[in-house]
Amino acid sequence: MTHEIFMTAVVHGDDTIKARAFLAGYTEMRERHRFTRVRHQTRQEFGIKGLPSIKELQKERGPNAQVWQELHQIFMKQSYTMQERADVTDEALTALSNGSPTTLSEGKMRRLWFTDLPDVISARNPPTNTQRKVIEIADPRMDKILAQNKFVTKSDFIEESYHWWHNGLEYALVQTLPLPPGTDANVVPNMAGITPMLPFSLLFVRIRVESSPERMQQAHAQLEAARRALVGVFEFKVFDRRCHDTRNIEPRQV
């Protein structure tokens, strides 16, 4: 089992370039620029329990079989919205260079990203930290697997991000770009001139660790040390854990 622990700061549009320059100096590394196609996946209807194709997924006996079983057990109890993510950096840069859309290569790796409702933070941990269980599964057939298990796309957009790493922590500055209406799932459009959905970016400082009390406590300490080092530069906010709630609650019958 794996947990992600992170803290979040808001960086307004006018300050984005300054923030990138500061983080490059602070981490002593060049930024890594990425584009990610993000598609939120939810159930076609309430009442579907688990993963209908779990037996077929387990027959493959691959490295993901146990993880699929874990996800199946979670969905037996509760429905969630998940993310299907694909790194489309090369395609997006090609589209920008050519000024025209680019088609994803066949067999493009896609990652399923599940996040549980964040845990209630212990009083001994900083309130700026969010802690949640995560599951990640990589498979180029993810579109087909999700369709077989009665998932449909709820939203579809491009995530543009800049990344740095320092002292075991990842620093990610993220903004969301809307896709032109009707964009095919296997096409990356030319993103030039597209206005971000929000007038700010989010800075995540995060770490993924094994779900052991000792390792998770170390991660909280690492994040708190980073927060103190960045006082006066970034203001990390305290968020209600329900901001990150991905559960789908079935409406009550009247």
Side-chain angles (χ1 to χ4, degrees):
M1 189 182 301
T2 302
H3 269 73
E4 178 187 54
I5 307 174
F6 63 96
M7 54 187 184
T8 311
V10 175
V11 179
H12 292 281
D14 294 342
D15 296 326
T16 300
I17 294 177
K18 293 178 183 177
R20 287 165 52 192
F22 173 84
L23 288 166
Y26 177 73
T27 61
E28 298 182 337
M29 70 168 291
R30 292 183 178 179
E31 65 190 21
R32 294 188 183 178
H33 189 194
R34 291 179 181 168
F35 290 90
T36 305
R37 183 75 173 262
V38 181
R39 305 171 73 204
H40 283 104
Q41 302 287 336
T42 191
R43 274 292 166 62
Q44 291 178 358
E45 58 187 45
F46 286 104
I48 302 173
K49 300 293 185 181
L51 302 178
S53 72
I54 185 61
K55 290 184 179 179
E56 287 74 14
L57 292 168
Q58 288 180 321
K59 284 179 182 177
E60 297 178 7
R61 300 185 181 277
N64 291 331
Q66 184 175 350
V67 190
W68 280 119
Q69 176 62 28
E70 183 180 359
L71 199 62
H72 171 69
Q73 294 299 327
I74 291 171
F75 272 83
M76 286 295 295
K77 301 175 183 177
Q78 174 69 55
S79 177
Y80 291 81
T81 294
M82 301 186 290
Q83 292 184 18
E84 181 196 21
R85 303 174 63 87
D87 184 346
V88 295
T89 303
D90 291 342
E91 291 83 356
L93 294 177
T94 298
L96 283 169
S97 177
N98 296 340
S100 59
T102 303
T103 301
L104 295 180
S105 59
E106 188 175 349
K108 184 75 175 180
M109 183 61 71
R110 302 172 191 270
R111 297 179 183 276
L112 188 64
W113 179 242
F114 165 85
T115 59
D116 206 345
L117 175 69
D119 301 330
V120 175
I121 293 294
S122 168
R124 65 179 179 175
N125 292 326
T128 49
N129 291 359
T130 299
Q131 169 185 305
R132 62 187 180 184
K133 177 183 177 180
V134 298
I135 294 175
E136 184 176 22
I137 305 174
D139 196 311
R141 307 166 301 161
M142 193 59 71
D143 277 356
K144 188 176 295 184
I145 293 172
L146 289 171
Q148 289 171 347
N149 287 282
K150 312 301 181 184
F151 284 92
V152 293
T153 301
K154 183 178 181 180
S155 64
D156 192 0
F157 56 87
I158 295 287
E159 187 179 274
E160 182 179 18
S161 56
Y162 298 88
H163 301 258
W164 303 262
W165 287 264
H166 183 62
N167 288 343
L169 300 176
E170 179 189 12
Y171 296 73
L173 189 62
V174 180
Q175 67 176 357
T176 304
L177 304 175
L179 286 164
T183 301
D184 186 272
N186 291 311
V187 172
V188 178
N190 178 12
M191 306 303 293
I194 293 182
T195 302
M197 297 171 68
L198 298 170
F200 57 82
S201 298
L202 293 176
L203 173 64
F204 297 101
V205 183
R206 58 199 179 194
I207 184 172
R208 256 193 271 180
V209 296
E210 293 180 3
S211 302
S212 69
E214 296 80 9
R215 188 64 191 95
M216 291 164 67
Q217 195 59 41
Q218 290 173 4
H220 280 289
Q222 287 175 262
L223 285 169
E224 177 61 8
R227 187 194 67 80
R228 291 179 178 177
L230 296 172
V231 167
V233 182
F234 299 109
E235 181 183 357
F236 292 97
K237 305 287 187 178
V238 177
F239 289 91
D240 189 300
R241 69 190 186 118
R242 289 170 292 185
C243 293
H244 304 285
D245 191 356
T246 59
R247 297 175 298 175
N248 298 322
I249 306 301
E250 185 171 1
R252 293 182 178 180
Q253 298 295 327
V254 178

